[in-house]
Amino acid sequence: MAQNEKLAELSAAGVAVWLDDLSRDRIHSGALQSLIDDYSVVGVTTNPTIFAAAISGSDSYDDQVHAMAIRKVSVGEALRTITSADVRDACDLLAPVAQRTGRDGRVSLEVSPGVAHDTDATAAEAAHLWWLVDRPNLYIKIPATQEGLAAITTSIARGISVNVTLIFSPERYRAVMDAYLSGLEQRLQDGGSVTGIESVASFFVSRVDTEIDRRLDEADADPTLKGKAALANAQLAYEAYEEVFSSDRWRALEAQGAKPQRPLWASTGVKNQDYPETLYISDLIAPDTVNTMPEKTLKAYADHGSPGTPIQQTYDEAAQVMKAVADAGVDLDDVFTVLEDEGIEKFADSWDELTESVRAQLEDKK
């Protein structure tokens, strides 16, 4: 099968197509390879929820779990061994893409959500996972909490490529870009090289509509405002990206070989079935972006997706949308705080579920 035309066009417009899913079955069955070959997929993201589904839904992990049960390894070690093995194998599968593109072919592995509000623990775990997987095309995912920002700077300064996750507001996104630039500056100051260091900033999309739509309903606001805030919010984030990565501060780093931190659109499967399933792809097309999609959304775009208005032409309208939402009585600062807290809580719950699943399997396989 030739590359899907619609996704190839998306790639040509500057959007790197990534898959928001990973499992051992997907790697070993050739399913991931076929998405690379036929659907322009050049990267993979994971999170605790994805691993919880993968491990509980497959017997592909049984032999590995059995071996660890015999060795009486701890649940924490077993969990990291399993997830890092999958990520390492996916990195190897995507290595030709990394060599061809120079910046994609990446696979993301997240620090434990339990340390999201502990700077030192996050930085320490990021360094450990980087060492454990030991692949140059790895990304370590660090949440963009207030405490996570300093850990991002530390990790970048150590030469670790970072996927900053759970970003909801343009304000926090600016702080993330600052943390990235600070890390590059620190690395250069320490005599290191910034060549080969990559980063993406995962700006969450659909959850913003879910929360804001609910509040618009509660406020009995103009119903035509619904389903617009998530796109507007992301479009304004791209405006901030263009501003920061054309600054003198950035140019100085670029002259030393640094690469820009690309915006990554995450949570791009629609949560509201009334919205077109390709909504968060069609209207977020811009150069040097990444869109990580669940397979269902990716296949939907491949089937009937079409490009919307390019992001650079949307800034004025996006600002008007966000102003109208605020004027309707929606406290945007509170929305973004709630979404960050909920995001960490959801991943923490998935992590607990994953831990319990592995614990049960270790007991079972003794």
Side-chain angles (χ1 to χ4, degrees), residues 1 4-7 10 17-20 26 30-32 34-36 38-41 268-269 277-278 281 292-306:
M1 177 177 166
N4 175 272
E5 211 172 284
K6 291 181 184 297
L7 290 167
L10 199 61
V17 177
W18 288 11
L19 177 71
D20 194 24
R26 193 182 272 288
L32 178 56
S34 75
L35 290 175
I36 295 165
D38 304 333
Y39 289 91
S40 297
V41 167
T268 54
E277 51 192 336
T278 59
I281 301 166
T292 184
M293 316 170 197
E295 185 175 8
K296 185 182 171 203
T297 307
L298 184 139
K299 293 277 179 77
Y301 194 89
D303 180 62
H304 56 266
S306 60

Side-chain angles (χ1 to χ4, degrees), residues 9-74:
E9 281 173 5
L10 199 61
S11 299
V15 181
V17 177
W18 288 11
L19 177 71
D20 194 24
D21 192 38
L22 185 66
S23 67
R24 196 159 291 184
D25 290 345
R26 193 182 272 288
I27 296 167
H28 293 168
S29 67
L32 178 56
Q33 186 64 56
S34 75
L35 290 175
I36 295 165
D37 295 340
D38 304 333
Y39 289 91
S40 297
V41 167
V42 292
V44 172
T45 47
T46 69
N47 60 44
T49 305
I50 284 169
F51 277 125
I55 293 170
S56 62
S58 167
D59 56 11
S60 299
Y61 298 90
D62 288 359
D63 290 348
Q64 189 179 21
V65 174
H66 180 61
M68 288 188 289
I70 292 169
R71 287 170 46 226
K72 296 184 170 54
V73 305
S74 69

